[in-house]
Amino acid sequence: MLGAIEAGGTKFVLAVSEDGLTVEHRVSIKTTTPEETMAQVFAYFDKYPVTALGLASFGPLNVNVRSESYGSITNTPKLPWRHYDILGDMKAHYPEVKFAFTTDVNAAAYGELKAGAAKGVQDVVYWTVGTGIGAGIVSNGKLLQGYSHPEAGHMLVRRDPRDEFAGFCPYHHDCLEGLAAGPAIEQRFGKPAIELAPDHVAWEIEANYLAQACMNVTLTVAPERIVFGGGVMHQPQLFPMIREAFQEKIADYVEYPALDDYIVPIALKDDAGVIGAFMLAKEA
Amino acid sequence: MLGAIEAGGTKFVLAVSEDGLTVEHRVSIKTTTPEETMAQVFAYFDKYPVTALGLASFGPLNVNVRSESYGSITNTPKLPWRHYDILGDMKAHYPEVKFAFTTDVNAAAYGELKAGAAKGVQDVVYWTVGTGIGAGIVSNGKLLQGYSHPEAGHMLVRRDPRDEFAGFCPYHHDCLEGLAAGPAIEQRFGKPAIELAPDHVAWEIEANYLAQACMNVTLTVAPERIVFGGGVMHQPQLFPMIREAFQEKIADYVEYPALDDYIVPIALKDDAGVIGAFMLAKEA
């Protein structure tokens, strides 16, 4: 049996599956402290004969297998979790289980590749645009991880000329996340993004930033597909706007797939991370 | 015996080696038309018992093995070479030889990984900053190629506040290449970069742009090392300036290797592409 943990900053999703594609059972628990939350994690998985488990966590994480602190959450602003060896504790509790370990967004990218909007391709960039911006990357069928994992939500973008918002990223102010995540839209216009009309200029500004993100990953990792998920992307009008802005910016310098098949919405919705974690566990 | 072709826009370097690390013989020929230049290529390699050959070419190239025009140079401004099936012609002439095919910068990245400034690491980004800007990327020991190959020289950067130069990239005007390649420096200050004093503001502006490039690739592919080559990088004062600007911009959000070992100059100099092509041929 396969297990999956999608460890988020506000909740943990715990799930089990036989084939990795069908969620047989799942629960959602609140993220509090490692002591409390992990006790619930152990209580859950103690009930199932899990042989392999995919652990997909909020980050930043140490995913460098050559490092001594491989398997830890690193400098998160969630203090009780900072430098917590989440993989080490799981392994200590389940010494017979095989583990896969990566970021929540990498797992979602993998889920979309295996069973979602990027099924059948080998190279995908998955962006989640919500309270923050994260990116998961699969290259040649494998998660892209080097010294660390992608944190492309913090890449630098050029300010839209209509935008005077300072940006809310505590590290970089007006990086991509600081200008284009949900809180940026809300702070810029004084109301939640979901309350803005589909033809509000907010979405043109948003499309400009997300098109820059697409351009930079196209020029760097040359994916076959770019998948967008997260709360901000529940605005269907954004997709044609991003495609158009991307096409204008990249100016036919490089070849990329047909745009309607290149920049697309997530297919697995809330299941992407869990399915990706199952599939990573299966291959562990 | 191993062969290497480093096919550049102004010259082709042809070389042979037994072990892939030592260049036994090389010639350099002028890039004119496919007919003329390739006749010289064939005349050269007809003399050696080559069993595997690494072909590293100027681009953009079609490196997508699932594409019908795999092996071709695509929309280069060098018109006689546009859509020329360089790999196909080589294979037709040498049907018994095994081929590796990639961009000149990817080969240089691979050479630096195998025998140069990134020896011993698995993940490297190689930048060449000269008449243009190119990037080669090795991820987990393999060339990073998806739908296409990296063209990160054209990523978007933020304009330095001291810089009023419009940018010279014919596609994107003020992308990284348009603002930071050699011709940008020359056009901005009215004299060749090499004539500017080491403490000229030109190098501060240059370091700003190259630090942005380092930040974006760190956040996207998380390499273990970033290697810079090319004519513009013959200015040793640039390295500490890029490191300092990078550190300030990325603001300790992610972990990266010790800076003096992270952002470093090329070691193999003009041999990087040829050695990389040999090593790719060896593994073909």
Side-chain angles (χ1 to χ4, degrees):
Chain A
M1 190 165 226
L2 302 167
I5 300 177
E6 195 180 6
T10 55
K11 66 174 182 180
F12 272 46
V13 176
L14 316 175
V16 289
S17 171
E18 284 296 345
D19 63 0
L21 296 169
T22 320
V23 181
E24 293 192 21
H25 186 264
R26 98 168 77 196
V27 296
S28 176
I29 60 174
K30 217 176 142 208
T31 307
T32 58
T33 63
E35 295 67 33
E36 275 183 14
T37 306
M38 295 305 288
Q40 290 181 270
V41 169
F42 298 145
Y44 181 81
F45 286 109
D46 284 352
K47 293 182 294 183
Y48 296 100
V50 165
T51 55
L53 195 148
L55 172 50
S57 178
F58 71 96
L61 304 178
N62 187 322
V63 293
N64 187 337
V65 292
R66 292 181 289 278
S67 159
E68 276 186 22
S69 40
Y70 170 70
S72 295
I73 297 171
T74 61
N75 59 341
T76 170
K78 299 188 78 70
L79 294 180
W81 295 87
R82 190 176 284 186
H83 303 304
Y84 170 58
D85 182 7
I86 187 168
L87 179 64
D89 263 16
M90 286 298 297
K91 281 184 172 169
H93 203 86
Y94 300 109
E96 306 295 316
V97 170
K98 289 192 188 304
F99 285 92
F101 178 63
T102 192
T103 60
D104 46 4
V105 276
N106 257 350
Y110 205 66
E112 288 294 310
L113 183 95
K114 288 290 175 179
K119 196 173 169 184
V121 310
Q122 292 289 301
D123 301 86
V124 62
V125 175
Y126 168 71
W127 292 100
T128 177
V129 187
T131 54
I133 299 186
I137 305 181
V138 182
S139 174
N140 200 22
K142 296 209 159 66
L143 295 181
L144 183 70
Q145 297 183 153
Y147 185 84
S148 185
H149 52 77
E151 280 288 350
H154 293 264
M155 69 165 54
L156 298 173
V157 286
R158 290 181 184 179
R159 183 170 285 280
D160 185 285
R162 295 160 290 193
D163 184 16
E164 293 181 0
F165 177 59
F168 79 98
C169 172
Y171 293 91
H172 315 110
H173 311 294
D174 56 356
C175 64
L176 176 64
E177 176 168 301
L179 292 175
I185 306 174
E186 176 162 353
Q187 290 174 40
R188 184 182 292 123
F189 294 104
K191 58 168 95 168
I194 201 163
E195 295 177 15
L196 301 170
D199 61 351
H200 195 286
V201 68
W203 305 116
E204 287 176 35
I205 294 171
E206 185 71 11
N208 176 359
Y209 293 135
L210 298 180
Q212 291 185 50
C214 290
M215 175 164 168
N216 284 350
V217 294
T218 297
L219 294 171
T220 309
V221 300
E224 291 173 85
R225 197 155 296 160
I226 299 176
V227 178
F228 277 99
V232 170
M233 304 310 293
H234 291 163
Q235 305 282 334
Q237 76 280 14
L238 266 178
F239 285 87
M241 293 165 75
I242 296 168
R243 292 184 193 118
E244 192 185 347
F246 168 82
Q247 190 170 28
E248 193 187 312
K249 283 175 204 304
I250 205 159
D252 277 338
Y253 178 69
V254 293
E255 293 185 26
Y256 49 83
L259 268 178
D260 288 352
D261 287 330
Y262 187 47
I263 299 175
V264 301
I266 191 170
L268 299 177
K269 316 274 186 219
D270 292 344
D271 284 347
V274 165
I275 302 265
F278 285 143
M279 297 310 284
L280 288 166
K282 201 170 180 173
E283 290 156 25
Chain B
M1 191 164 224
L2 302 168
I5 301 177
E6 195 180 6
T10 54
K11 66 175 181 180
F12 272 47
V13 177
L14 315 175
V16 289
S17 171
E18 284 296 346
D19 64 1
L21 296 169
T22 321
V23 180
E24 293 192 22
H25 185 265
R26 96 168 77 196
V27 296
S28 175
I29 60 174
K30 217 177 143 208
T31 308
T32 58
T33 63
E35 295 67 33
E36 275 183 15
T37 307
M38 295 306 289
Q40 290 179 273
V41 169
F42 299 144
Y44 181 81
F45 287 109
D46 285 351
K47 292 182 295 184
Y48 296 99
V50 165
T51 55
L53 195 147
L55 172 51
S57 177
F58 70 95
L61 304 178
N62 187 322
V63 293
N64 187 337
V65 292
R66 291 180 290 277
S67 159
E68 277 186 22
S69 40
Y70 171 71
S72 294
I73 297 170
T74 62
N75 58 341
T76 170
K78 299 188 78 72
L79 294 181
W81 296 86
R82 188 175 285 186
H83 303 304
Y84 171 58
D85 182 7
I86 188 168
L87 179 62
D89 263 16
M90 286 298 295
K91 281 183 172 170
H93 203 87
Y94 300 110
E96 307 295 315
V97 170
K98 289 190 189 304
F99 284 92
F101 178 64
T102 193
T103 60
D104 45 4
V105 276
N106 257 349
Y110 204 67
E112 287 294 309
L113 183 95
K114 288 290 175 179
K119 197 174 169 182
V121 310
Q122 292 290 301
D123 301 86
V124 62
V125 173
Y126 168 71
W127 292 100
T128 176
V129 186
T131 54
I133 299 186
I137 306 180
V138 182
S139 174
N140 200 23
K142 296 210 158 66
L143 295 182
L144 183 70
Q145 297 183 151
Y147 186 84
S148 185
H149 51 76
E151 280 287 350
H154 293 264
M155 69 165 55
L156 297 174
V157 286
R158 291 181 185 181
R159 184 170 285 279
D160 186 285
R162 296 161 290 194
D163 184 16
E164 294 180 359
F165 176 59
F168 80 97
C169 172
Y171 293 91
H172 315 111
H173 310 293
D174 56 355
C175 64
L176 175 64
E177 176 169 301
L179 290 176
I185 305 173
E186 176 162 354
Q187 291 174 38
R188 183 182 293 121
F189 294 105
K191 58 169 94 169
I194 201 162
E195 293 177 17
L196 301 170
D199 61 353
H200 195 285
V201 68
W203 305 115
E204 288 176 36
I205 294 172
E206 185 72 10
N208 177 359
Y209 293 134
L210 298 180
Q212 292 185 50
C214 290
M215 175 164 169
N216 284 349
V217 295
T218 297
L219 294 171
T220 309
V221 300
E224 290 175 85
R225 198 154 296 159
I226 298 175
V227 178
F228 277 99
V232 170
M233 304 310 293
H234 291 165
Q235 304 282 333
Q237 77 279 13
L238 266 178
F239 285 89
M241 293 165 75
I242 297 169
R243 293 183 194 119
E244 192 185 346
F246 167 82
Q247 190 169 30
E248 195 187 311
K249 284 176 204 302
I250 205 159
D252 276 337
Y253 178 69
V254 293
E255 293 185 25
Y256 49 83
L259 269 178
D260 288 352
D261 287 330
Y262 187 47
I263 298 174
V264 302
I266 191 170
L268 299 177
K269 314 274 186 220
D270 292 343
D271 284 347
V274 165
I275 303 265
F278 285 143
M279 296 310 284
L280 287 166
K282 201 170 180 174
E283 290 156 23

